[in-house]
mmCIF file of all heavy atoms in Angstrom:
data_model
loop_
_atom_site.group_PDB
_atom_site.id
_atom_site.type_symbol
_atom_site.label_atom_id
_atom_site.label_comp_id
_atom_site.label_asym_id
_atom_site.label_seq_id
_atom_site.Cartn_x
_atom_site.Cartn_y
_atom_site.Cartn_z
ATOM 1 N N HIS A 271 93.296 116.834 92.393
ATOM 2 C CA HIS A 271 92.123 117.465 92.993
ATOM 3 C C HIS A 271 90.875 117.170 92.162
ATOM 4 O O HIS A 271 90.951 116.699 91.017
ATOM 5 C CB HIS A 271 92.337 118.974 93.126
ATOM 6 C CG HIS A 271 92.695 119.648 91.836
ATOM 7 N ND1 HIS A 271 91.799 119.823 90.804
ATOM 8 C CD2 HIS A 271 93.865 120.192 91.403
ATOM 9 C CE1 HIS A 271 92.383 120.447 89.800
ATOM 10 N NE2 HIS A 271 93.635 120.673 90.121
ATOM 11 N N VAL A 272 89.719 117.455 92.724
ATOM 12 C CA VAL A 272 88.459 117.285 92.005
ATOM 13 C C VAL A 272 88.422 118.293 90.857
ATOM 14 O O VAL A 272 88.688 119.478 91.058
ATOM 15 C CB VAL A 272 87.259 117.492 92.939
ATOM 16 C CG1 VAL A 272 85.952 117.412 92.147
ATOM 17 C CG2 VAL A 272 87.265 116.450 94.046
ATOM 18 N N SER A 273 88.086 117.833 89.671
ATOM 19 C CA SER A 273 88.090 118.709 88.496
ATOM 20 C C SER A 273 86.832 118.473 87.663
ATOM 21 O O SER A 273 86.087 117.518 87.894
ATOM 22 C CB SER A 273 89.336 118.461 87.636
ATOM 23 O OG SER A 273 89.364 117.114 87.186
ATOM 24 N N VAL A 274 86.604 119.359 86.689
ATOM 25 C CA VAL A 274 85.471 119.218 85.787
ATOM 26 C C VAL A 274 85.937 119.472 84.356
ATOM 27 O O VAL A 274 86.676 120.420 84.098
ATOM 28 C CB VAL A 274 84.320 120.181 86.162
ATOM 29 C CG1 VAL A 274 84.779 121.637 86.126
ATOM 30 C CG2 VAL A 274 83.121 119.983 85.234
ATOM 31 N N GLN A 275 85.542 118.580 83.455
ATOM 32 C CA GLN A 275 85.913 118.687 82.042
ATOM 33 C C GLN A 275 84.708 118.344 81.173
ATOM 34 O O GLN A 275 83.941 117.437 81.503
ATOM 35 C CB GLN A 275 87.070 117.744 81.708
ATOM 36 C CG GLN A 275 88.402 118.114 82.340
ATOM 37 C CD GLN A 275 88.962 119.416 81.774
ATOM 38 O OE1 GLN A 275 88.680 119.777 80.634
ATOM 39 N NE2 GLN A 275 89.747 120.118 82.568
ATOM 40 N N PRO A 276 84.539 119.048 80.055
ATOM 41 C CA PRO A 276 83.411 118.728 79.168
ATOM 42 C C PRO A 276 83.706 117.524 78.301
ATOM 43 O O PRO A 276 84.858 117.256 77.956
ATOM 44 C CB PRO A 276 83.262 120.000 78.327
ATOM 45 C CG PRO A 276 84.661 120.542 78.246
ATOM 46 C CD PRO A 276 85.305 120.223 79.572
ATOM 47 N N GLU A 277 82.669 116.801 77.930
ATOM 48 C CA GLU A 277 82.789 115.741 76.941
ATOM 49 C C GLU A 277 82.517 116.386 75.579
ATOM 50 O O GLU A 277 81.386 116.521 75.161
ATOM 51 C CB GLU A 277 81.787 114.618 77.213
ATOM 52 C CG GLU A 277 82.050 113.853 78.503
ATOM 53 C CD GLU A 277 81.088 112.692 78.689
ATOM 54 O OE1 GLU A 277 80.287 112.432 77.754
ATOM 55 O OE2 GLU A 277 81.116 112.059 79.756
ATOM 56 N N GLY A 278 83.553 116.820 74.935
ATOM 57 C CA GLY A 278 83.392 117.570 73.697
ATOM 58 C C GLY A 278 83.587 119.048 73.956
ATOM 59 O O GLY A 278 84.611 119.453 74.509
ATOM 60 N N THR A 279 82.600 119.862 73.605
ATOM 61 C CA THR A 279 82.706 121.308 73.754
ATOM 62 C C THR A 279 81.583 121.850 74.624
ATOM 63 O O THR A 279 80.431 121.453 74.468
ATOM 64 C CB THR A 279 82.638 122.004 72.375
ATOM 65 O OG1 THR A 279 83.689 121.495 71.549
ATOM 66 C CG2 THR A 279 82.803 123.503 72.523
ATOM 67 N N ALA A 280 81.946 122.732 75.545
ATOM 68 C CA ALA A 280 80.960 123.433 76.367
ATOM 69 C C ALA A 280 80.870 124.858 75.834
ATOM 70 O O ALA A 280 81.641 125.737 76.227
ATOM 71 C CB ALA A 280 81.373 123.421 77.835
ATOM 72 N N ALA A 281 79.965 125.075 74.892
ATOM 73 C CA ALA A 281 79.863 126.369 74.217
ATOM 74 C C ALA A 281 78.847 127.268 74.911
ATOM 75 O O ALA A 281 77.821 126.800 75.410
ATOM 76 C CB ALA A 281 79.488 126.177 72.750
ATOM 77 N N LYS A 282 79.131 128.542 74.904
ATOM 78 C CA LYS A 282 78.236 129.523 75.516
ATOM 79 C C LYS A 282 76.854 129.447 74.872
ATOM 80 O O LYS A 282 76.727 129.373 73.655
ATOM 81 C CB LYS A 282 78.801 130.934 75.357
ATOM 82 C CG LYS A 282 80.139 131.153 76.038
ATOM 83 C CD LYS A 282 80.651 132.568 75.795
ATOM 84 C CE LYS A 282 82.014 132.786 76.438
ATOM 85 N NZ LYS A 282 82.527 134.163 76.202
ATOM 86 N N GLY A 283 75.840 129.470 75.715
ATOM 87 C CA GLY A 283 74.475 129.454 75.219
ATOM 88 C C GLY A 283 73.951 128.080 74.855
ATOM 89 O O GLY A 283 72.772 127.935 74.540
ATOM 90 N N GLY A 284 74.818 127.060 74.911
ATOM 91 C CA GLY A 284 74.397 125.718 74.522
ATOM 92 C C GLY A 284 74.285 124.772 75.713
ATOM 93 O O GLY A 284 74.257 125.192 76.878
ATOM 94 N N TYR A 285 74.231 123.494 75.396
ATOM 95 C CA TYR A 285 74.157 122.447 76.410
ATOM 96 C C TYR A 285 75.397 121.564 76.286
ATOM 97 O O TYR A 285 75.988 121.457 75.210
ATOM 98 C CB TYR A 285 72.896 121.604 76.237
ATOM 99 C CG TYR A 285 71.624 122.343 76.610
ATOM 100 C CD1 TYR A 285 71.086 123.306 75.759
ATOM 101 C CD2 TYR A 285 70.973 122.089 77.806
ATOM 102 C CE1 TYR A 285 69.932 123.990 76.092
ATOM 103 C CE2 TYR A 285 69.811 122.760 78.151
ATOM 104 C CZ TYR A 285 69.293 123.713 77.290
ATOM 105 O OH TYR A 285 68.155 124.400 77.632
ATOM 106 N N ALA A 286 75.776 120.916 77.386
ATOM 107 C CA ALA A 286 76.983 120.087 77.364
ATOM 108 C C ALA A 286 76.885 119.000 78.415
ATOM 109 O O ALA A 286 76.116 119.107 79.383
ATOM 110 C CB ALA A 286 78.233 120.939 77.607
ATOM 111 N N VAL A 287 77.673 117.960 78.209
ATOM 112 C CA VAL A 287 77.851 116.916 79.222
ATOM 113 C C VAL A 287 79.235 117.108 79.813
ATOM 114 O O VAL A 287 80.225 117.151 79.081
ATOM 115 C CB VAL A 287 77.713 115.509 78.620
ATOM 116 C CG1 VAL A 287 78.039 114.450 79.676
ATOM 117 C CG2 VAL A 287 76.317 115.294 78.083
ATOM 118 N N VAL A 288 79.290 117.262 81.125
ATOM 119 C CA VAL A 288 80.570 117.472 81.796
ATOM 120 C C VAL A 288 80.816 116.341 82.783
ATOM 121 O O VAL A 288 79.876 115.730 83.307
ATOM 122 C CB VAL A 288 80.605 118.835 82.525
ATOM 123 C CG1 VAL A 288 80.406 119.976 81.534
ATOM 124 C CG2 VAL A 288 79.540 118.905 83.621
ATOM 125 N N ASP A 289 82.097 116.047 83.008
ATOM 126 C CA ASP A 289 82.499 115.000 83.950
ATOM 127 C C ASP A 289 83.190 115.610 85.158
ATOM 128 O O ASP A 289 84.183 116.326 84.995
ATOM 129 C CB ASP A 289 83.451 114.010 83.281
ATOM 130 C CG ASP A 289 82.798 113.232 82.160
ATOM 131 O OD1 ASP A 289 81.584 112.986 82.244
ATOM 132 O OD2 ASP A 289 83.499 112.860 81.201
ATOM 133 N N PHE A 290 82.670 115.327 86.349
ATOM 134 C CA PHE A 290 83.371 115.690 87.573
ATOM 135 C C PHE A 290 84.274 114.510 87.934
ATOM 136 O O PHE A 290 83.796 113.419 88.243
ATOM 137 C CB PHE A 290 82.388 115.993 88.701
ATOM 138 C CG PHE A 290 81.613 117.274 88.490
ATOM 139 C CD1 PHE A 290 80.355 117.255 87.916
ATOM 140 C CD2 PHE A 290 82.169 118.493 88.839
ATOM 141 C CE1 PHE A 290 79.654 118.429 87.707
ATOM 142 C CE2 PHE A 290 81.474 119.681 88.623
ATOM 143 C CZ PHE A 290 80.214 119.639 88.054
ATOM 144 N N LYS A 291 85.580 114.730 87.848
ATOM 145 C CA LYS A 291 86.554 113.668 88.081
ATOM 146 C C LYS A 291 87.041 113.733 89.523
ATOM 147 O O LYS A 291 87.538 114.767 89.974
ATOM 148 C CB LYS A 291 87.724 113.820 87.115
ATOM 149 C CG LYS A 291 88.768 112.715 87.232
ATOM 150 C CD LYS A 291 89.882 112.933 86.220
ATOM 151 C CE LYS A 291 90.967 111.874 86.361
ATOM 152 N NZ LYS A 291 92.069 112.091 85.396
ATOM 153 N N VAL A 292 86.894 112.616 90.236
ATOM 154 C CA VAL A 292 87.226 112.577 91.667
ATOM 155 C C VAL A 292 88.294 111.509 91.920
ATOM 156 O O VAL A 292 87.994 110.310 91.905
ATOM 157 C CB VAL A 292 85.978 112.282 92.521
ATOM 158 C CG1 VAL A 292 86.322 112.284 94.001
ATOM 159 C CG2 VAL A 292 84.881 113.291 92.223
ATOM 160 N N PRO A 293 89.538 111.899 92.139
ATOM 161 C CA PRO A 293 90.576 110.929 92.494
ATOM 162 C C PRO A 293 90.585 110.686 94.008
ATOM 163 O O PRO A 293 90.203 111.554 94.786
ATOM 164 C CB PRO A 293 91.861 111.626 92.050
ATOM 165 C CG PRO A 293 91.548 113.082 92.205
ATOM 166 C CD PRO A 293 90.076 113.254 91.944
ATOM 167 N N ASN A 294 91.002 109.505 94.390
ATOM 168 C CA ASN A 294 91.140 109.218 95.823
ATOM 169 C C ASN A 294 92.585 109.502 96.232
ATOM 170 O O ASN A 294 93.514 108.887 95.717
ATOM 171 C CB ASN A 294 90.794 107.755 96.095
ATOM 172 C CG ASN A 294 90.720 107.472 97.594
ATOM 173 O OD1 ASN A 294 90.865 108.377 98.402
ATOM 174 N ND2 ASN A 294 90.495 106.223 97.957
ATOM 175 N N GLU A 295 92.765 110.445 97.160
ATOM 176 C CA GLU A 295 94.111 110.869 97.559
ATOM 177 C C GLU A 295 94.615 110.178 98.814
ATOM 178 O O GLU A 295 95.707 110.494 99.299
ATOM 179 C CB GLU A 295 94.117 112.379 97.791
ATOM 180 C CG GLU A 295 93.799 113.207 96.566
ATOM 181 C CD GLU A 295 93.876 114.686 96.881
ATOM 182 O OE1 GLU A 295 93.125 115.150 97.750
ATOM 183 O OE2 GLU A 295 94.702 115.366 96.266
ATOM 184 N N ARG A 296 93.843 109.279 99.367
ATOM 185 C CA ARG A 296 94.228 108.633 100.626
ATOM 186 C C ARG A 296 94.571 107.171 100.394
ATOM 187 O O ARG A 296 94.011 106.506 99.528
ATOM 188 C CB ARG A 296 93.091 108.749 101.647
ATOM 189 C CG ARG A 296 92.675 110.185 101.942
ATOM 190 C CD ARG A 296 93.814 110.958 102.622
ATOM 191 N NE ARG A 296 93.437 112.348 102.875
ATOM 192 C CZ ARG A 296 93.758 113.357 102.094
ATOM 193 N NH1 ARG A 296 94.452 113.143 100.976
ATOM 194 N NH2 ARG A 296 93.396 114.585 102.409
ATOM 195 N N ASP A 297 95.504 106.667 101.216
ATOM 196 C CA ASP A 297 95.925 105.267 101.123
ATOM 197 C C ASP A 297 95.125 104.355 102.046
ATOM 198 O O ASP A 297 95.158 103.138 101.892
ATOM 199 C CB ASP A 297 97.416 105.125 101.463
ATOM 200 C CG ASP A 297 98.305 105.859 100.469
ATOM 201 O OD1 ASP A 297 97.899 105.940 99.287
ATOM 202 O OD2 ASP A 297 99.375 106.363 100.868
ATOM 203 N N ASN A 298 94.428 104.959 103.016
ATOM 204 C CA ASN A 298 93.750 104.155 104.031
ATOM 205 C C ASN A 298 92.251 104.450 104.118
ATOM 206 O O ASN A 298 91.601 104.108 105.111
ATOM 207 C CB ASN A 298 94.386 104.388 105.403
ATOM 208 C CG ASN A 298 94.366 105.852 105.809
ATOM 209 O OD1 ASN A 298 93.995 106.714 105.002
ATOM 210 N ND2 ASN A 298 94.754 106.132 107.046
ATOM 211 N N ALA A 299 91.680 105.109 103.104
ATOM 212 C CA ALA A 299 90.251 105.434 103.133
ATOM 213 C C ALA A 299 89.721 105.576 101.715
ATOM 214 O O ALA A 299 90.476 105.852 100.773
ATOM 215 C CB ALA A 299 90.007 106.719 103.917
ATOM 216 N N SER A 300 88.428 105.383 101.558
ATOM 217 C CA SER A 300 87.769 105.509 100.261
ATOM 218 C C SER A 300 86.905 106.772 100.237
ATOM 219 O O SER A 300 86.441 107.233 101.285
ATOM 220 C CB SER A 300 86.877 104.294 99.979
ATOM 221 O OG SER A 300 87.636 103.105 99.944
ATOM 222 N N THR A 301 86.710 107.315 99.042
ATOM 223 C CA THR A 301 85.797 108.445 98.891
ATOM 224 C C THR A 301 84.375 107.898 98.828
ATOM 225 O O THR A 301 84.059 107.071 97.971
ATOM 226 C CB THR A 301 86.099 109.226 97.604
ATOM 227 O OG1 THR A 301 87.411 109.793 97.694
ATOM 228 C CG2 THR A 301 85.089 110.344 97.400
ATOM 229 N N THR A 302 83.525 108.351 99.735
ATOM 230 C CA THR A 302 82.166 107.813 99.819
ATOM 231 C C THR A 302 81.087 108.843 99.507
ATOM 232 O O THR A 302 79.910 108.495 99.412
ATOM 233 C CB THR A 302 81.911 107.249 101.227
ATOM 234 O OG1 THR A 302 82.166 108.277 102.191
ATOM 235 C CG2 THR A 302 82.829 106.064 101.507
ATOM 236 N N LYS A 303 81.499 110.120 99.339
ATOM 237 C CA LYS A 303 80.490 111.154 99.082
ATOM 238 C C LYS A 303 81.121 112.327 98.348
ATOM 239 O O LYS A 303 82.249 112.709 98.612
ATOM 240 C CB LYS A 303 79.869 111.631 100.407
ATOM 241 C CG LYS A 303 78.697 112.573 100.261
ATOM 242 C CD LYS A 303 78.120 112.914 101.640
ATOM 243 C CE LYS A 303 76.926 113.829 101.550
ATOM 244 N NZ LYS A 303 76.384 114.150 102.902
#
């Protein structure tokens, strides 16, 4: 499923870079949006 993970630490009150990871679950179609 679509998930979100920080690159490093996502600490309260601070700033962070997070990655939204999108896997393609279909064999006959691509994720376009």
